[in-house]
Amino acid sequence: QVQLVESGGGLVHTGDSLRLSCAASGDTFRNYAMGWFRQAAGKERDFVACITRSDGMTYYSDSVKGRFTMSGDNAKNTVYLQMNSLKPEDTADYYCAADNKDWCDPLTATWGLGTRVTVSS
């Protein structure tokens, strides 16, 4: 079973960039659909991005499309979320997810503990 550890969160200003990392251990992340979700205070956990298991296609939520980019490094067994042009509404706890199906299903995924991103206006 894969284990996930996120890092890279912090406090930034509107328009800044951050790169989140999700280090996988116990298995190679290429064996999973890998994704990012986020949860703002008092709200449900929302989908951000997912790389599918079968063909490595990447999908994004409409709210981050064009600003966020998800990628992976096989040698480091790590996936990343590059976040540009950050907005206060991006403030949330960000969670990495791994699913042994072809899609990032929040009902069946394995989760990391999350990393907090705060964007001040």
Side-chain angles (χ1 to χ4, degrees):
Q1 182 76 348
V2 66
Q3 293 87 47
L4 307 171
V5 178
E6 302 95 333
S7 61
L11 172 63
V12 296
H13 297 289
T14 298
D16 286 351
S17 298
L18 271 179
R19 188 179 76 161
L20 305 183
S21 300
C22 172
S25 61
D27 202 349
T28 177
F29 75 84
R30 291 295 182 188
N31 289 335
Y32 299 83
M34 296 295 298
W36 288 93
F37 290 72
R38 66 187 182 185
Q39 188 167 16
K43 297 188 177 181
E44 295 184 351
R45 191 170 296 188
D46 291 331
F47 168 77
V48 174
C50 180
I51 297 177
T52 56
R53 176 184 180 185
S54 60
D55 57 9
M57 292 292 292
T58 309
Y59 298 87
Y60 300 94
S61 69
D62 288 343
S63 62
V64 307
K65 197 174 297 180
R67 300 188 298 122
F68 290 12
T69 303
M70 187 174 177
S71 62
D73 185 328
N74 291 336
K76 295 183 178 180
N77 206 24
T78 298
V79 296
Y80 302 98
L81 184 68
Q82 177 66 44
M83 306 187 295
N84 298 330
S85 302
L86 282 162
K87 305 174 181 180
E89 50 264 45
D90 295 318
T91 295
D93 292 325
Y94 283 71
Y95 296 90
C96 182
D99 200 313
N100 58 13
K101 299 183 299 190
D102 195 39
W103 181 247
C104 307
D105 185 342
L107 297 179
T108 57
T110 297
W111 299 97
L113 295 180
T115 186
R116 179 157 294 177
V117 173
T118 304
V119 185
S120 65
S121 57

